[in-house]
């Protein structure tokens, strides 16, 4: 099927209207994916996200937009997977609030057929991967900055020289820069006397 992901995905469906939930489940099955959980009650969905592993969640939004926003926020926090919202009509205010809570894409109910849903899944998976790559890059940068700060304090050197120390140790030990940075941070906690050892860790 055009637009379908290469491997089958584990999909969480959440919809207050059972008949619409079943319709979406049929589309998901036609795309070659598995609906591993489906629910209409927000408290039950919360329980599912605590124990289940999902690749994508699809939330169909009814008239109670506040309830839908709460549901989206809970899934994003606890399921740690990208969320697609299916909405009855395009409501800019709702879309803005849903984006703030972490929804990665939306389609209207009239568009929730095979090709459109397949495309939405492809888009959210790509965005989710980019998000985690970026999040990881920020995390690595934060560790490097902390390590540089420790070296600057301990050796009374500037930022550039601190970075050169990290880089040189990385080359000498044939270890990644981020590993050296983590070693410096760990050494500071283990050696409070100030004798930071770049070979620690």
């Amino acid at each position: 099927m055009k637009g379908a992901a290469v491997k089958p995905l584990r999909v969480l469906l959440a919809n207050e209207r059972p008949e619409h939930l079943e319709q979406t489940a049929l589309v998901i099955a036609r795309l070659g994916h598995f609906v591993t959980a489906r629910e209409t009650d927000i408290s039950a969905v919360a329980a599912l996200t605590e124990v289940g592993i999902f690749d994508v969640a699809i939330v169909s939004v009814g008239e109670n937009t506040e309830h839908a926003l709460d549901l989206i926020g809970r899934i994003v926090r606890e399921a740690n997977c990208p969320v697609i919202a299916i909405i009855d009509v395009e409501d800019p205010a709702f879309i803005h609030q849903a984006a703030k809570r972490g929804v990665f894409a939306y389609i209207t109910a009239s568009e929730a057929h095979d090709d459109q849903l397949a495309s939405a899944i492809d888009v959210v998976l790509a965005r989710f991967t980019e998000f985690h790559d970026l999040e990881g890059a920020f995390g690595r940068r934060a560790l490097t900055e902390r390590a540089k700060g420790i070296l600057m304090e301990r050796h009374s050197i500037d930022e550039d020289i601190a970075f050169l120390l990290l880089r040189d140790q990385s080359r000498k030990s044939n270890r990644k820069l981020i590993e050296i940075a983590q070693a410096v941070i760990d050494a500071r906690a283990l050696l409070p006397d100030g004798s930071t050892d770049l070979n620690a860790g």
Side-chain angles (χ1 to χ4, degrees), residues 12 15 21 38 41 52 54 60 76 78 80 82 109 111 115 147 156-157 174 201:
L12 166 63
N15 194 326
L21 187 149
R38 62 184 77 188
D41 179 69
F54 308 102
S60 294
V76 169
E78 299 184 12
N80 193 32
E111 297 172 329
D115 288 342
S156 299
I157 56 179
N174 196 28

Side-chain angles (χ1 to χ4, degrees), residues 8-14 24-25 28-29 31-38 53-59 81-82 84 117 121:
L9 301 173
R10 295 160 296 189
V11 180
L12 166 63
L13 287 185
T24 307
I28 293 298
L31 294 174
H33 306 310
F34 301 107
V35 177
T36 53
R38 62 184 77 188
I53 299 175
F54 308 102
D55 298 305
V56 64
I58 300 174
V59 181
C81 69
I84 299 171
L117 192 53
I121 290 173

Side-chain angles (χ1 to χ4, degrees), residues 115-177:
D115 288 342
Q116 286 284 358
L117 192 53
S119 296
I121 290 173
D122 288 345
V123 167
V124 298
L125 291 177
R127 288 179 177 173
F128 197 63
T129 298
E130 290 172 0
F131 171 77
H132 277 283
D133 287 347
L134 184 61
E135 190 176 46
F138 281 134
R140 290 189 295 273
R141 180 174 180 179
L143 282 177
T144 302
E145 292 300 315
R146 283 183 60 194
K148 286 196 301 184
I150 292 169
L151 294 176
M152 291 165 65
E153 176 188 351
R154 295 294 173 91
H155 300 293
S156 299
I157 56 179
D158 64 25
E159 183 177 359
D160 291 339
I161 294 176
F163 178 77
L164 289 176
L165 284 177
L166 290 172
R167 189 192 64 185
D168 290 346
Q169 183 66 20
S170 173
R171 290 174 176 173
K172 289 176 184 177
S173 61
N174 196 28
R175 296 163 65 189
K176 293 179 180 179
L177 182 67

